[in-house]
Amino acid sequence: VYPLKKGAFVYRIKKRIFDVAKMQAELSKFKKQMLQQEKDNFYRAFLIKESSKIKIKFNKKAFDKAKKEIIGRY
């Protein structure tokens, strides 16, 4: 049974095929994916934490000047 917001979804596994060789072949791929996902999560959390410490000042004059120069080229 899988609960939903309104009601539930009921399912039953009729037949299970278990192939040890296929599972072993996929295991290294699965481990690499999980390791990469953990690295990504750590990096994302690190960036969020560090970005909250950084104070960013927006220089409107420099932005407008750069924008005019860039737009003037085209």
Side-chain angles (χ1 to χ4, degrees):
V1 177
Y2 183 76
L4 302 170
K5 289 183 180 179
K6 295 182 180 181
F9 179 79
V10 180
Y11 62 93
R12 184 178 127 194
I13 299 173
K14 287 185 164 187
K15 186 178 180 183
R16 184 180 302 177
I17 300 170
F18 187 75
D19 185 2
V20 176
K22 187 175 180 181
M23 187 185 84
Q24 289 294 341
E26 294 291 322
L27 185 60
S28 64
K29 181 180 173 184
F30 176 74
K31 285 181 179 181
K32 286 179 185 177
Q33 287 175 343
M34 292 302 294
L35 180 61
Q36 187 61 46
Q37 185 176 357
E38 287 300 315
K39 286 179 181 178
D40 292 344
N41 289 342
F42 175 79
Y43 185 65
R44 189 176 302 112
F46 174 77
L47 286 178
I48 290 170
K49 182 180 175 186
E50 291 301 312
S51 67
S52 67
K53 295 178 184 178
I54 298 171
K55 305 234 181 210
I56 299 172
K57 293 182 180 179
F58 183 72
N59 188 339
K60 179 117 171 83
K61 288 181 183 178
F63 174 75
D64 289 337
K65 181 180 176 185
K67 186 172 80 171
K68 285 179 185 178
E69 288 178 12
I70 292 170
I71 292 174
R73 293 179 193 167
Y74 297 102

